Amino acid sequence: MSTHVQMDLSPGMSGGIGVAPIQDLVARVVSYCTHPRSGWHTYDMPGLVARRDGHFKQIAPWSLLWATSLSGRLSASDVAGFTHEFRTELVQRLTSLSAKNLADMNDAEVKGLTLLCRSGYSGLWAPKVTKMLALYRPDAVPVLDGHVAMAMGFRRDGFRSGKEPRWRRIEQTLLTLRCILSQQQGELTQIRDQVAHAVSDIGKVTDLRLLDIIIWTSQDDRMSRPGSPTDFWLNSQHRDYQPGGFDPLPLQ
């Protein structure tokens, strides 16, 4: 793998995270997937099993709780607001969404995706809603949390603050992600192929979810906080990957 290959994680976005060497992105993804408490083990792999077993063929009162497995930080009022009326509107927006991958959507279809991603109510906006919806449509719905907002050059609350400005930020981000997926496919393939040497299950996630992990870990590595210094994912010692163990157990 060439050490000179880079990937632009925020093309056209002023103040965005910019370019990063492919080898750094590979290291971050491997660290994320082998860390025992990362979203890979609490969200991605359990989500694959749940999708196989049909859990994402409906939106139920408990469906919102899936966001918690990716640090959704739900409150009692969030769950209380997930009413039948709101779920009905969410189902309508989800089922009317184009069946295409985000990379293949045209501008009008991205607008429909924007409408879905901006669904919510007071206290429950894109950072929480998309953590649930990305499990239903992992090929089309990205996780739009504070890390992704900052990676795109916005403030941490960019996807939950304001109304029409928030809507514009969401659409702009979706268009940027579409650009990355369609124009940097070769780089994504290189990353996936390299990660596969250490993480056998990496081929089970969509390109969009792989890109989610790349952007999130790269942004997280720009930040320093107790227990997570700058470049935590880049410099973490890789553990042996432990696949499996997510199948449901029948009651005897």
Side-chain angles (χ1 to χ4, degrees):
M1 180 175 61
S2 172
T3 59
H4 301 294
V5 178
Q6 294 184 318
M7 188 169 183
D8 190 346
L9 302 180
S10 59
M13 301 294 280
S14 177
I17 193 170
V19 299
I22 290 291
Q23 69 267 23
D24 288 359
L25 303 182
V26 170
R28 289 178 176 130
V29 174
V30 172
S31 292
Y32 185 82
C33 294
T34 58
H35 192 287
R37 294 185 301 279
S38 76
W40 184 260
H41 297 281
T42 66
Y43 179 86
D44 291 291
M45 292 296 98
L48 287 169
V49 174
R51 187 173 302 106
R52 180 201 66 191
D53 292 346
H55 287 290
F56 302 127
K57 293 181 180 179
Q58 59 182 3
I59 292 182
W62 51 262
S63 298
L64 184 61
L65 299 178
W66 280 103
T68 303
S69 62
L70 203 62
S71 300
R73 300 178 182 177
L74 297 178
S75 67
S77 60
D78 293 336
V79 178
F82 199 58
T83 61
H84 182 272
E85 291 74 20
F86 177 76
R87 295 197 306 274
T88 299
E89 178 182 342
L90 200 61
V91 166
Q92 291 172 345
R93 291 183 177 184
L94 185 59
T95 55
S96 65
L97 184 66
S98 168
K100 298 178 182 177
N101 296 341
L102 174 56
D104 300 322
M105 290 184 181
N106 59 35
D107 289 352
E109 290 164 335
V110 171
K111 287 185 180 298
L113 178 58
T114 302
L115 188 64
L116 176 65
C117 290
R118 77 186 204 197
S119 300
Y121 45 85
S122 180
L124 191 96
W125 299 115
K128 296 181 180 180
V129 169
T130 58
K131 289 180 180 183
M132 177 190 68
L133 292 175
L135 291 169
Y136 286 83
R137 285 293 307 275
D139 57 336
V141 180
V143 175
L144 299 178
D145 66 1
H147 274 42
V148 176
M150 289 187 289
M152 293 296 130
F154 307 126
R155 296 186 347 181
R156 175 182 282 276
D157 64 355
F159 298 140
R160 55 185 172 85
S161 177
K163 188 176 181 181
E164 292 186 8
R166 177 175 64 87
W167 297 349
R168 288 195 296 271
R169 294 183 203 112
I170 290 174
E171 183 173 6
Q172 191 175 4
T173 298
L174 294 175
L175 290 170
T176 299
L177 295 176
R178 182 186 66 175
C179 174
I180 297 171
L181 292 168
S182 60
Q183 297 185 11
Q184 300 184 69
Q185 180 61 52
E187 290 85 345
L188 267 179
T189 299
Q190 283 189 49
I191 293 171
R192 189 188 294 274
D193 289 347
Q194 290 297 315
V195 172
H197 294 301
V199 182
S200 57
D201 289 324
I202 194 64
K204 296 180 180 178
V205 298
T206 64
D207 282 348
L208 177 56
R209 180 55 189 153
L210 176 58
L211 180 58
D212 276 339
I213 295 170
I214 291 169
I215 292 176
W216 192 93
T217 54
S218 296
Q219 175 60 39
D220 198 51
D221 270 358
R222 299 172 76 190
M223 305 158 62
S224 178
R225 57 188 183 278
S228 182
T230 302
D231 282 336
F232 171 81
W233 300 106
L234 179 61
N235 296 328
S236 289
Q237 183 175 1
H238 294 167
R239 301 167 171 85
D240 289 337
Y241 182 59
Q242 301 294 330
F246 299 104
D247 289 325
L249 299 175
L251 295 174
Q252 299 298 322

